[in-house]
Amino acid sequence: MSRADVCVVACAEAFRGDGEIVAAGIGGAITVLAARLARLTFEPDLLTHDGTCLLTADVPALGAAPAAVEGWLPFRDHLWLVLNGRRHVMLGASQIDRYGNTNISCIGDWARPKAQLLGVRGAPGNTRCDPTSYWIPRHSPRVFVPEVDVVSGVGTDRGAYDLRRVVTNLAVLDFGGPGGTMRLVSAHPGVSVAEVVAATGFELHVPAHVPETREPTEEERRLLDEVLDPAGARLREVAA
Amino acid sequence: MTVAEVAATVESGMTVGIGGWGSRRKPMALVHGLLRSPVRDLTIVSYGGADVGMLCAAKKVRRVVAPFVTLDSIPLEPHFRAARQAGEIEFTEYDEGMFMFGLLAGAHRLPFLPTRAGLGSDVLRINPELRTVRSPYAGGEELIAVPALTMDVALVHVNRADRRGNAQYLGPDPYFDDLYAKAATRCYVSCERLVDTADLLKEGPVQSLLISRSMVTGVVEAPGGASFTSCEPDYGRDEELQRRYVETPWEEFHEQG
């Protein structure tokens, strides 16, 4: 069993219970696979897209064209859908704090950044209007910081609509800690709680009992290996 | 018209809207026209890609108005980054949806449009000129009043157009080119191929007629005019050329033409 498979399944779990909404995985293989895996298993009503503007009727492999299309979602409609709210997005973040404020804009002083990144993109609207989760492939104190340099995505202390999960290469977290702070939900198999705490640059709420993140089922592994990602793109996104 | 004729209508200090999205269907031939002209101090309004990066590299830009600048398959735009990190340009940084509402307001002669996108985030801190409005209806919700994004000139690239400026997209996404056309005082359209008006519906349905001639000042036939960005279905992104753009010093890349 690979760590990448555990991560895909943990991200897929973020979509559990979402029903008939768009599951939008942004930025890379893991989040896209997660939405498709959830749809093929426990959330069959989810809508998923091809990474551009097609809502696919079937669930193709990563990078493959769909056999059938069930809808059109050009960027303008995607931005309207953000306001409509029938959408759960899984974003990335260069920095995240204990309330789930995130930064993808720049590092350092905004007026004269040390490192210009993407810009805020859709993170402000996403986090204010839609359920939002995060996938962070390298859990470290450089990403999990006491204070983000620019608030692109808003946290629980700034009016976030519904921050669901943060999944990393080490653990699953949510915002069920005191005052909406980040809480450790589970540590991935082979990862200790101490490791997660050491990789987090702020005080993390750690319950008395921290379960292990569930392992992928036989069926989930088969779907990833044979149907959704036979080329193994997910393995390149997570350090083994 | 020619690319040079379009560029000659742009004056220093003007606000220029550039259509497309990231590294998709950008009017790169028209951007190259600006690069060859003496124009300076432009304000660029764009869902930014290499258009923004090249104009920054050539020191043509005073301000960028954008929600992001990206090359899609290469996430970060090197010349925009360098200009920001050197403090060479001013930046109005909006959420993507706010930006669309700014274009919608500009396209419909409204002073602003309200939205939730941006509330609670640092978009309000880094744009201190932004104001909120309160709903006059039940609930009295407070919303961001996104000011209209208007521009002196808009530049867009499409698949087909007729000589009068009826412009057609044949790819999967119109992006926001119709809004740029309506939000600008003048809009110039470059196209892969000029066709007779009577032939416009031979390649796409009536819904693909994105921009009416009433919104267009001039048309340029520019085959390959979006390259290296994508212009589906005519061509995809030239990933190799885009990579060379990122890896080569600007002067060298620009001289190679």
Side-chain angles (χ1 to χ4, degrees):
Chain A
M1 175 194 55
S2 73
R3 176 68 57 80
D5 286 4
V6 172
C7 292
V8 173
V9 169
C11 289
E13 282 288 343
F15 296 113
R16 190 182 282 276
D18 277 345
E20 202 160 19
I21 66 169
V22 171
I26 308 289
I30 298 269
T31 58
V32 173
L33 288 170
R36 294 184 189 184
L37 183 66
R39 181 173 169 183
L40 282 181
T41 54
F42 52 80
E43 281 299 326
D45 289 340
L46 284 178
L47 290 87
T48 56
H49 63 84
D50 73 335
T52 61
C53 62
L54 303 180
L55 293 172
T56 64
D58 57 329
V59 185
L62 212 58
V69 170
E70 65 174 345
W72 184 45
L73 197 65
F75 282 123
R76 61 182 64 196
D77 286 318
H78 217 112
L79 297 180
W80 287 113
L81 186 63
V82 168
L83 286 169
N84 176 282
R86 222 159 294 170
R87 176 173 174 273
H88 179 171
V89 64
M90 189 162 240
L91 300 172
S94 301
Q95 295 177 321
I96 185 167
D97 73 13
R98 64 196 300 237
Y99 294 100
N101 295 292
T102 57
N103 176 20
I104 52 171
S105 173
C106 68
I107 300 297
D109 178 18
W110 180 85
R112 181 75 186 269
K114 212 170 348 170
Q116 174 66 41
L117 305 173
L118 278 172
V120 296
R121 282 219 75 151
N126 287 162
T127 49
R128 186 72 180 200
C129 304
D130 295 354
T132 303
S133 295
Y134 288 96
W135 157 243
I136 293 171
R138 279 184 194 78
H139 193 141
S140 82
R142 283 168 55 100
V143 179
F144 288 74
V145 295
E147 198 178 343
V148 304
D149 294 343
V150 178
V151 176
S152 308
V154 298
T156 55
D157 60 340
R158 282 173 167 254
Y161 177 79
D162 182 8
L163 293 190
R164 293 275 177 85
R165 292 282 171 88
V166 179
V167 179
T168 77
N169 59 322
L170 301 181
V172 177
L173 311 112
D174 69 9
F175 295 92
T181 54
M182 199 182 285
R183 172 177 71 174
L184 183 54
V185 172
S186 66
H188 297 340
V191 178
S192 71
V193 170
E195 241 177 292
V196 178
V197 168
T200 305
F202 50 77
E203 197 191 331
L204 184 64
H205 182 71
V206 181
H209 173 67
V210 177
E212 198 170 81
T213 309
R214 81 166 172 91
E215 295 188 7
T217 64
E218 281 296 318
E219 174 65 358
E220 286 166 340
R221 276 153 69 173
R222 186 191 67 78
L223 286 167
L224 287 173
D225 284 338
E226 295 173 19
V227 179
L228 292 175
D229 186 26
R234 65 194 185 282
L235 303 173
R236 291 190 291 276
E237 214 172 285
V238 183
Chain B
M1 293 180 79
T2 65
V3 166
E5 283 166 357
V6 171
T9 74
V10 179
E11 295 165 24
S12 292
M14 277 187 169
T15 297
V16 180
I18 301 181
W21 169 289
S23 195
R24 307 173 199 210
R25 203 154 49 70
K26 283 285 175 180
M28 297 310 292
L30 297 177
V31 169
H32 282 290
L34 292 182
L35 294 174
R36 286 189 292 268
S37 88
V39 70
R40 290 180 65 90
D41 292 326
L42 298 176
T43 292
I44 303 297
V45 178
S46 176
Y47 284 105
D51 52 330
V52 170
M54 287 185 185
L55 290 165
C56 284
K59 316 287 185 203
K60 301 285 190 190
V61 180
R62 187 177 64 210
R63 174 178 292 275
V64 172
V65 182
F68 58 75
V69 182
T70 181
L71 301 174
D72 293 306
S73 51
I74 300 172
L76 301 182
E77 214 298 335
H79 302 305
F80 169 71
R81 292 192 85 193
R84 275 280 285 151
Q85 291 164 200
E88 290 174 356
I89 54 168
E90 298 166 43
F91 188 23
T92 299
E93 184 175 1
Y94 284 172
D95 166 85
E96 288 170 17
M98 284 179 71
F99 190 93
M100 176 173 77
F101 274 31
L103 292 177
L104 278 164
H108 299 96
R109 298 186 295 144
L110 291 166
F112 70 90
L113 278 171
T115 182
R116 290 187 193 100
L119 287 170
S121 78
D122 272 349
V123 166
L124 290 169
R125 172 175 70 86
I126 62 189
N127 296 291
E129 75 287 359
L130 286 175
R131 296 289 176 267
T132 58
V133 289
R134 199 167 282 286
S135 166
Y137 301 110
E141 185 176 358
E142 191 178 25
L143 300 156
I144 293 186
V146 184
L149 286 173
T150 55
M151 48 210 84
D152 298 299
V153 177
L155 307 176
V156 305
H157 183 78
V158 297
N159 302 92
R160 306 285 178 268
D162 68 12
R163 285 173 200 286
R164 305 184 76 186
N166 294 304
Q168 179 179 45
Y169 79 106
L170 297 172
D173 198 317
Y175 309 120
F176 299 87
D177 291 356
D178 50 336
L179 298 183
Y180 283 98
K182 289 175 183 168
T185 307
R186 291 179 284 130
C187 174
Y188 296 97
V189 172
S190 60
C191 63
E192 288 298 315
R193 199 165 75 231
L194 275 174
V195 295
D196 288 335
T197 306
D199 290 338
L200 280 169
L201 295 188
K202 283 187 175 166
E203 288 188 86
V206 72
Q207 295 94 324
S208 66
L209 298 177
L210 185 63
I211 304 174
S212 155
R213 62 185 167 84
S214 67
M215 307 293 169
V216 175
T217 302
V219 181
V220 178
E221 185 173 45
S227 178
F228 49 80
T229 73
S230 62
C231 186
E232 293 171 14
D234 291 315
Y235 46 87
R237 187 178 304 130
D238 187 339
E239 297 286 0
E240 195 185 321
L241 186 54
Q242 175 163 286
R243 200 171 309 112
R244 187 140 50 83
Y245 163 71
V246 167
E247 291 168 356
T248 313
W250 168 247
E251 293 301 335
E252 196 182 316
F253 182 85
H254 189 43
E255 278 161 24
Q256 289 166 359

